[in-house]
Amino acid sequence: MQKAASTLRGGTALSVMVLRTMSSGISSSTPGASTGQVRSRVNESKRERLRNMKIFVLDNSLRESTVGQVVGHSIGDKLKVFDATSGCGFTHQIVGCFSSNRRVDDKFAAVLQEREHLDRTFYSFSEVYEKLDDKRRFLKNHVPIGLKKMQMFGIPNPIIEVDCAADFTASEFLDQLTFLLQWSSENMSAPPPGQKRMTFINLRDFPVSMIECPDKVLELVQGIAMMPPSIRPVGMLQEEPIGEYFAEEVAAWNQEVRDTMDANGWPSLFQQDGETLDGLLLAHVHKQWGLADAVVLDVLAAGADGVWCSICEEGAAMGHASSCVTLANLARLGNKDVLKRYQTQKLATAAREVTKLTTNKNVPERQIVYGPRAIESVFGFSGIAGGAADASFDKDGDGVIDEVDHFSLAKFLGVEEPPIRINSLSSPDLVVRRLKQCFGDCPEFTEDIAKLMLVKMIQQLEDNIEFEHTSPMGISMLWKEATGSFHPKMMNYENDMEQLTHKTNIFLQQAEECFCQNLEEGEDGIEYRQFYDAYLQPYFGCFTCPRTRFVLDYIEMDKDGKLSWNEWRFWCLWALRTYPEEISNLDDLHTVVFRYAILPLSLHDKAHDINADYKKSIVVSNGEISLPKTK
């Protein structure tokens, strides 16, 4: 099936393909159909192409990530980005974009030149022209500054950018490209031994030109395909910089370019043997309306060989489709080439590092694939993202239940056991598994206690108390609520955790100094009365009141009648890790501890009744929990 539309611009009829056979594998079937009929409900042809294709990544993390950012990359940042992405197996890397003005890229290119990375293939951008003659045509024999700086820094592989909708004919573009390609061949550094020059032509205004002047675009592609092999580029790049168009639209335009390349003796040799780099067609898609990742997959299914992009989504106004997400998508569809060609276990770490280097912030929690929540196990049941795998479900509808149907993003990224997120829908089994993840195996970590913890979580929410219970400290506090005390492993867990941040260390030191000022000479703990006078009086007006006693008992862990620095440090560390943005001095730290941890628990009706006798009267029998009546 093929549908065409005609549009007029300047009085010229242009044929624009808007839809190709992207759904040939989909046909109707009746409800209750057999497995053989159900498989027709998925797009078999698209899935097969994405499963079996070879995937080429031209890494643009050094350039794309900084586009439109508030903070740019320093030389040190660029070197860290370079090392992070190189570790993922990306050997083809865009290292700069030069202009007449000096940029950080100039210094960085000089640093790379000194290092002599012979195992890497470096690229940089150049305009197809910079100057025009008196008739507003290309100035003959003029070489853009981008190519000259590439010559100076020994970068052999140019990406020449073309805006096809500009007021030049395809023939004029071809003449200018022929001159620049010939000049590059004769004047730029030779590629490392065993490599050929890897020149690309980028259709920078791809969607605009495919709407306004598609005939000119295809004439240009045809002319490039028919160039002598000695100067012909190794491939074409296309860019959707607007983030506006549906996946099937961009895929249809991409298919036209691919068909034109194939029909004129320039097929993708890379798809044939996975080694020969010629006839490549790579895609780059910006984000704007939530379409980008779907566009990339459809473009790959429509004949593209890979992507040119950053490993993370940072860049441009709203970001772009990243290689980390694209490679994960291909792997979940059963693509084995991804696993062989790239170090997938390093992808998420590298994407997070590049994000931090670019924004000075951590990756957002809900970032797909490489964000902290992307691989969490959230539900104990199946049929929902984040839930348990259904071993009987043929996810791709191919009639066979195999590893594709049981794809694990966590294992793809090198995480053997997905971290568990505790919430009000968690099963007792998930709570037990999370306890073991945080503190190791322990006979006290049982489903009976887990059920009690879940009951306490619901009670807290009913009393308008909102805590997170996933972090080691969060689940420790829930354990204490359910059992009356912290488990010994919970009191000391921070000793086994990663190194604390500089800010956390500073505030902990200040908090310890303040605490020690209230210690009697020779003592290692503060009596309740002393602690009340030093810390609690602004919040509780009476030392002997039951509510104050509850707070003191709650803060203390070892039941010796005193509060030690280690006990108080636990709460300070919890505040610093849970609400870091609200703490700028020591007073803030103490305020956060009381406002978000102690006061909420002390203010609800049942706080006074949570004591040792109350805990002892809780009965767990045959999985059923019996709670005593509160006074």
Side-chain angles (χ1 to χ4, degrees):
M1 179 180 68
Q2 186 174 358
K3 186 181 291 186
S6 294
T7 181
L8 289 176
R9 182 172 177 83
T12 304
L14 301 175
S15 175
V16 182
M17 179 177 294
V18 296
L19 184 63
R20 274 191 174 261
T21 312
M22 299 303 298
S23 57
S24 59
I26 301 179
S27 60
S28 61
S29 60
T30 57
S34 65
T35 302
Q37 290 173 306
V38 170
R39 64 182 295 189
S40 66
R41 289 185 178 272
V42 300
N43 194 321
E44 294 175 352
S45 60
K46 182 189 293 187
R47 288 176 178 269
E48 182 179 6
R49 158 69 181 183
L50 296 175
R51 181 169 59 249
N52 295 323
M53 70 175 292
K54 315 296 190 304
I55 180 71
F56 183 90
V57 174
L58 174 56
D59 182 59
N60 196 24
S61 301
L62 288 162
R63 281 299 311 163
E64 184 68 32
S65 301
T66 63
V67 176
Q69 293 292 350
V70 176
V71 181
H73 284 166
S74 66
I75 294 296
D77 290 337
K78 286 184 175 293
L79 289 171
K80 291 176 181 178
V81 170
F82 177 78
D83 290 339
T85 54
S86 296
C88 297
F90 298 155
T91 59
H92 293 261
Q93 295 161 299
I94 300 172
V95 298
C97 181
F98 306 113
S99 71
S100 56
N101 297 321
R102 183 172 177 81
R103 294 175 172 176
V104 177
D105 290 350
D106 295 61
K107 177 67 176 294
F108 180 66
V111 171
L112 290 180
Q113 192 175 25
E114 293 175 359
R115 287 189 170 194
E116 296 185 347
H117 292 277
L118 299 180
D119 60 336
R120 296 288 182 269
T121 304
F122 293 152
Y123 302 78
S124 183
F125 295 101
S126 173
E127 296 293 331
V128 70
Y129 76 95
E130 287 175 335
K131 295 184 178 181
L132 301 176
D133 61 20
D134 295 339
K135 297 181 180 180
R136 307 297 298 169
R137 311 327 291 165
F138 294 132
L139 184 64
K140 289 188 178 298
N141 300 325
H142 175 73
V143 179
I145 189 66
L147 288 176
K148 290 182 178 179
K149 285 197 173 183
M150 290 178 66
Q151 179 190 28
M152 179 173 64
F153 293 122
I155 299 173
N157 306 300
I159 298 172
I160 303 176
E161 304 209 88
V162 177
D163 296 318
C164 289
D167 190 21
F168 301 99
T169 67
S171 295
E172 288 177 304
F173 276 125
L174 287 169
D175 289 344
Q176 178 71 356
L177 285 172
T178 299
F179 163 69
L180 296 179
L181 292 169
Q182 188 67 49
W183 185 91
S184 300
S185 178
E186 295 173 355
N187 295 278
M188 294 179 65
S189 300
Q195 296 185 18
K196 65 177 180 179
R197 194 175 306 281
M198 297 284 295
T199 305
F200 283 97
I201 308 301
N202 179 31
L203 304 176
R204 184 166 52 187
D205 62 343
F206 187 59
V208 174
S209 58
M210 287 302 290
I211 290 174
E212 294 189 345
C213 52
D215 295 336
K216 182 166 68 170
V217 175
L218 299 181
E219 183 182 348
L220 175 62
V221 173
Q222 180 183 36
I224 296 172
M226 297 176 67
M227 286 180 174
S230 59
I231 64 168
R232 185 175 67 186
V234 296
M236 300 291 300
L237 308 182
Q238 57 99 328
E239 180 172 357
E240 208 288 64
I242 308 174
E244 170 73 26
Y245 297 97
F246 294 129
E248 63 266 24
E249 293 170 334
V250 184
W253 301 331
N254 183 87
Q255 187 74 60
E256 290 188 85
V257 173
R258 177 79 271 170
D259 290 346
T260 301
M261 295 172 70
D262 292 349
N264 290 277
W266 203 21
S268 173
L269 301 183
F270 178 69
Q271 292 303 325
Q272 297 176 22
D273 61 16
E275 299 292 337
T276 306
L277 302 179
D278 195 30
L280 292 170
L281 178 57
L282 309 181
H284 177 77
V285 183
H286 283 205
K287 289 181 174 289
Q288 188 64 34
W289 301 107
L291 303 172
D293 293 314
V295 170
V296 168
L297 290 179
D298 269 21
V299 166
L300 292 174
D305 297 284
V307 291
W308 63 283
C309 56
S310 171
I311 193 171
C312 69
E313 294 184 353
E314 296 301 325
M318 293 294 293
H320 72 299
S322 70
S323 58
C324 184
V325 173
T326 296
L327 294 177
N329 262 314
L330 290 173
R332 74 174 176 85
L333 293 169
N335 189 295
K336 302 296 185 184
D337 187 72
V338 170
L339 305 178
K340 296 176 182 177
R341 199 175 296 273
Y342 304 107
Q343 300 296 317
T344 63
Q345 71 277 10
K346 297 181 180 180
L347 287 174
T349 301
R352 289 192 288 265
E353 184 174 357
V354 175
T355 300
K356 184 67 176 289
L357 289 167
T358 301
T359 65
N360 290 332
K361 298 179 181 179
N362 292 325
V363 171
E365 287 195 354
R366 294 188 180 277
Q367 169 63 50
I368 59 173
V369 175
Y370 59 90
R373 289 190 175 186
I375 61 173
E376 288 182 342
S377 180
V378 184
F379 308 110
F381 47 88
S382 61
I384 187 173
D390 185 347
S392 64
F393 180 48
D394 180 13
K395 189 182 296 184
D396 59 1
D398 64 353
V400 178
I401 298 177
D402 54 19
E403 58 187 7
V404 176
D405 302 298
H406 301 149
F407 174 79
S408 167
L409 176 61
K411 291 183 178 179
F412 171 76
L413 297 174
V415 179
E416 283 301 316
E417 184 180 9
I420 293 168
R421 186 195 314 166
I422 300 303
N423 60 91
S424 58
L425 294 180
S426 296
S427 63
D429 173 65
L430 284 181
V431 175
V432 172
R433 286 167 56 194
R434 183 57 184 163
L435 286 167
K436 292 179 179 179
Q437 283 182 347
C438 293
F439 310 110
D441 201 357
C442 210
E444 291 86 357
F445 298 160
T446 65
E447 289 197 16
D448 285 341
I449 297 297
K451 290 177 180 179
L452 182 56
M453 293 169 69
L454 291 170
V455 169
K456 296 307 300 179
M457 183 191 302
I458 299 301
Q459 288 180 349
Q460 288 178 352
L461 293 173
E462 290 174 346
D463 292 323
N464 294 315
I465 299 173
E466 299 179 2
F467 284 152
E468 65 83 22
H469 298 298
T470 298
S471 69
M473 283 190 166
I475 202 168
S476 294
M477 292 176 65
L478 186 59
W479 174 277
K480 186 178 191 299
E481 275 287 279
T483 66
S485 62
F486 288 106
H487 192 281
K489 286 192 174 183
M490 297 174 183
M491 295 175 61
N492 301 318
Y493 90 96
E494 67 268 16
N495 295 329
D496 299 324
M497 294 187 67
E498 68 274 8
Q499 186 176 3
L500 301 179
T501 66
H502 179 65
K503 174 183 175 181
T504 299
N505 270 323
I506 289 176
F507 284 128
L508 283 178
Q509 290 172 7
Q510 293 176 357
E512 184 175 11
E513 291 172 1
C514 178
F515 186 89
C516 291
Q517 289 174 3
N518 294 284
L519 279 175
E520 296 288 345
E521 186 175 353
E523 295 291 330
D524 59 0
I526 300 178
E527 299 287 345
Y528 276 10
R529 179 72 206 202
Q530 291 174 285
F531 189 87
Y532 170 80
D533 292 340
Y535 292 95
L536 295 184
Q537 197 167 21
Y539 303 93
F540 302 92
C542 171
F543 171 69
T544 58
C545 295
R547 194 182 301 273
T548 305
R549 180 71 189 193
F550 162 77
V551 169
L552 291 166
D553 287 342
Y554 198 91
I555 296 174
E556 191 200 357
M557 299 180 184
D558 57 11
K559 306 304 179 186
D560 65 352
K562 296 181 180 179
L563 290 162
S564 67
W565 162 242
N566 282 336
E567 290 168 331
W568 185 233
R569 180 181 185 274
F570 179 93
W571 296 103
C572 291
L573 192 55
W574 172 85
L576 286 164
R577 285 177 171 155
T578 309
Y579 297 98
E581 70 282 353
E582 297 193 24
I583 299 172
S584 57
N585 54 54
L586 184 59
D587 288 339
D588 290 343
L589 172 58
H590 291 157
T591 298
V592 167
V593 171
F594 289 111
R595 180 188 299 167
Y596 293 117
I598 306 304
L599 281 174
L601 291 171
S602 71
L603 292 176
H604 68 85
D605 294 338
K606 299 167 187 174
H608 317 297
D609 304 304
I610 302 178
N611 51 41
D613 292 336
Y614 178 79
K615 298 295 182 182
K616 290 178 182 178
S617 62
I618 295 174
V619 177
V620 180
S621 177
N622 297 324
E624 297 295 326
I625 300 171
S626 300
L627 298 176
K629 295 181 180 180
T630 56
K631 298 178 181 178

